[in-house]
Amino acid sequence: AQKVTQAQTEISVVEKEDVTLDCVYETRDTTYYLFWYKQPPSGELVFLIRRNSFDEQNEISGRYSWNFQKSTSSFNFTITASQVVDSAVYFCALRRTNTGFQKLVFGTGTRLLVSP
Amino acid sequence: DGGITQSPKYLFRKEGQNVTLSCEQNLNHDAMYWYRQDPGQGLRLIYYSQIVNDFQKGDIAEGYSVSREKKESFPLTVTSAQKNPTAFYLCASIPRGGTGYGYTFGSGTRLTVV
């Protein structure tokens, strides 16, 4: 069975602080995709990144960076110099690659509150 | 601009009443999905459809029904058999074969039982 765990229910930081959101996953598949989504107060989920299981390179996009470690089954997300607009719920998700049906398994989400 | 439109944004249901949530996409995507979001539980899959006139149950299909008569539309009916329907409902879509960008989501419908 597949499972995604986001142990941090809520994180509060002050603007300009760095913050890391943890994601640990479980799967028996050798190939899979990992995702991060942002859910602002408006409710819509916004895609942030997809990572293939065979690509363990870390990625940086502006203030966002992702650390994928297959050895520890983790795919952590770091926001550098956080801003108030980063306040949202962030979801980590996992998807198998060896089926025609592309079901996403979501973690329970981490609510990030960035105060001025 | 292409996207997914969900309506209404807020919906109130009386006990024993069926209600239908609308999901329309103009992205020409083949596959469409319905997810339910509850506080502290993440998103759970209700139904999905990979092609017109075909749909499959997800993990929590009991008390829900769907149809897929048009590629653009995937309405979800919450029936009276769903005992705890109060939740946030999200519709999503993806092209056949997928893309590198994951699902496209709508902005959701918040359903409350009164």
Side-chain angles (χ1 to χ4, degrees), chain B residues 56-109:
Chain B
Q56 304 295 330
K57 293 181 179 180
D59 300 318
I60 55 165
E62 185 175 352
Y64 300 98
S65 65
V66 295
S67 63
R68 187 86 186 277
E69 297 176 0
K70 298 186 302 181
K71 188 176 184 178
E72 304 80 18
S73 179
F74 191 40
L76 173 73
T77 297
V78 184
T79 74
S80 57
Q82 172 49 241
K83 298 307 178 187
N84 184 24
T86 295
F88 188 56
Y89 292 86
L90 283 159
C91 179
S93 71
I94 195 166
R96 182 188 294 272
T99 73
Y101 300 97
Y103 291 7
T104 299
F105 281 88
S107 56
T109 293

Side-chain angles (χ1 to χ4, degrees), chain A residues 35 37 39 42-47 49-50 89 91 95 100-109, chain B residues 9 33 35 37 40 42-43 45 48 50 59 88 90 94 97-103 105-107:
Chain A
F35 298 81
Y37 284 87
Q39 186 178 40
S42 61
E44 180 176 349
L45 266 71
V46 177
F47 168 85
I49 190 172
R50 182 190 84 165
V89 180
F91 289 97
R95 195 194 86 194
F101 164 49
Q102 299 169 22
K103 170 183 173 178
L104 276 177
V105 175
F106 287 86
T108 52
Chain B
K9 191 171 180 65
Y33 306 82
Y35 278 89
Q37 184 178 7
L43 280 73
L45 182 65
Y48 64 96
Q50 298 192 87
D59 300 318
F88 188 56
L90 283 159
I94 195 166
T99 73
Y101 300 97
Y103 291 7
F105 281 88
S107 56

Side-chain angles (χ1 to χ4, degrees), chain B residues 24-44:
Chain B
E24 303 278 335
Q25 54 101 356
N26 60 1
L27 300 163
N28 199 33
H29 285 176
D30 294 290
M32 297 186 74
Y33 306 82
W34 275 104
Y35 278 89
R36 170 178 170 145
Q37 184 178 7
D38 294 281
Q41 293 193 46
L43 280 73
R44 293 179 292 169

